[in-house]
């Protein structure tokens, strides 16, 4: 099966990503390449094997990587649409189907690229026949993303939410710590009894059992804590500041920013509703108020090499 087919099957089965939305090609690709399923935990340049449970055999993982590499080297089936950055993000406000990329040719032979409702394109009941120019729509969305990144007050708010969320998201640790507290309390009671002169073979066995349980629980807590390092507010603000330096004209940077920030975009007759990947992150944009030149002029001039793995691995928006 292709990744596109896998995504279709997963969505039909009700599978959802960490944001609670439908799986996408990007999400599925990240799943297939995620080395954490091998039991590897990476922090910076340090890789620890066996720190977390392995749920995928090494051979199966290697087979999948070879298949992905082989498909990457093969002639692209969808080369014409591979740089339609909003594919799988756009939803028709009229019929609910996805918008997809298409290429039109004018009378003079010039090619123009658009996004258009797939039902309207296939004439399956949607009357929203007019598409939106690819460059215009992508530039508009990138402009809105850059407005978020450049908004110090909003970044401060999002960073606070991300820090707060990290303390809530792991429900296993509070339960383990509560269990550890009860175990230590039982150990203290037995030691007090021994100090009072109460000591039998069963007391010794019980104490050994509790000490073993305590050690195992402490190990489980440690493993849970290293699954996802805690990011301070300073770490998160610095992450946003790095995004400000990206070269917005770079295709890889544009892909990265859209993957990080955009949950979905609903296209209505005269406006777009952009849903960002954080709580209360929705903005309605009247289509007619912006032009391509207006959008491009607002992009920052800074240049930076994109470290895509860094931005995807450390993404505080993922859990908001």
């Amino acid at each position: 099966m292709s990744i596109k087919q896998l995504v279709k099957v997963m969505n039909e089965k009700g599978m959802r990503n960490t944001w609670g939305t439908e799986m996408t090609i990007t999400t599925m690709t990240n799943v297939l390449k995620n080395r954490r399923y091998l039991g590897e935990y990476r922090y910076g340049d340090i890789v620890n094997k066996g720190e977390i449970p392995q749920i995928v055999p090494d051979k199966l993982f290697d087979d999948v990587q070879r298949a992905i590499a082989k498909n990457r080297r093969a002639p692209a089936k969808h080369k014409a649409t591979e740089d339609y950055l909003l594919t799988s993000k756009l939803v028709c406000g009229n019929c609910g189907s996805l918008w997809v990329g298409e290429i039109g040719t004018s009378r003079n032979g010039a090619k123009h690229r658009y996004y258009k409702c797939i039902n309207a394109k296939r004439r399956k009941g949607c009357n929203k026949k007019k598409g939106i120019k690819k460059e215009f729509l992508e530039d508009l969305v990138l402009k809105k993303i850059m407005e978020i990144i450049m908004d110090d007050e909003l970044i401060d708010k999002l960073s606070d939410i991300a820090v707060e969320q990290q303390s809530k998201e792991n429900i296993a640790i509070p339960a383990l710590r509560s269990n550890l507290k009860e175990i230590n309390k039982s150990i203290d009671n037995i030691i007090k009894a021994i100090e009072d002169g109460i000591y039998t073979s069963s007391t010794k066995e019980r104490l050994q059992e509790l000490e073993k349980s305590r050690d195992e629980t402490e190990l489980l807590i440690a493993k849970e804590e290293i699954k996802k390092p805690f990011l301070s507010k300073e770490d998160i603000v610095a992450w946003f500041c790095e995004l400000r330096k990206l070269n917005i004209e770079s295709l890889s940077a544009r892909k990265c920013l859209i993957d990080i920030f955009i949950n979905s975009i609903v296209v209505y007759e005269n406006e777009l509703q952009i849903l960002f990947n954080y709580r209360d992150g929705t903005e309605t944009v009247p289509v007619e108020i912006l032009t391509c030149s207006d959008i491009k002029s607002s992009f920052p001039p800074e240049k930076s090499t994109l470290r895509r793995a860094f931005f995807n691995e450390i993404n505080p928006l993922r859990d908001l």
Side-chain angles (χ1 to χ4, degrees), residues 136 140 143-144 270 283-292 294-295:
F136 167 78
L140 187 154
K143 177 183 183 294
K144 292 301 174 182
N270 296 312
E283 181 170 353
T284 300
V285 183
V287 174
E288 69 275 7
I289 69 171
L290 294 171
T291 66
C292 292
D294 291 332
I295 297 167

Side-chain angles (χ1 to χ4, degrees), residues 101-151:
E102 71 167 5
I103 298 178
T105 304
S106 63
R107 293 180 180 178
N108 61 5
K111 292 188 179 297
H112 302 279
R113 295 192 289 176
Y114 296 85
Y115 285 103
K116 189 172 183 179
C117 172
I118 192 169
N119 277 348
K121 183 178 178 180
R122 296 175 178 176
R123 299 180 181 179
K124 290 188 175 181
C126 183
N127 58 12
K128 190 164 178 52
K129 298 178 181 180
K130 188 176 180 180
I132 301 177
K133 287 185 178 180
K134 173 187 179 296
E135 183 183 27
F136 167 78
L137 186 52
E138 290 178 2
D139 284 347
L140 187 154
V141 172
L142 264 296
K143 177 183 183 294
K144 292 301 174 182
I145 291 174
M146 294 310 299
E147 287 176 359
I148 293 173
I149 296 172
M150 295 298 178
D151 187 337

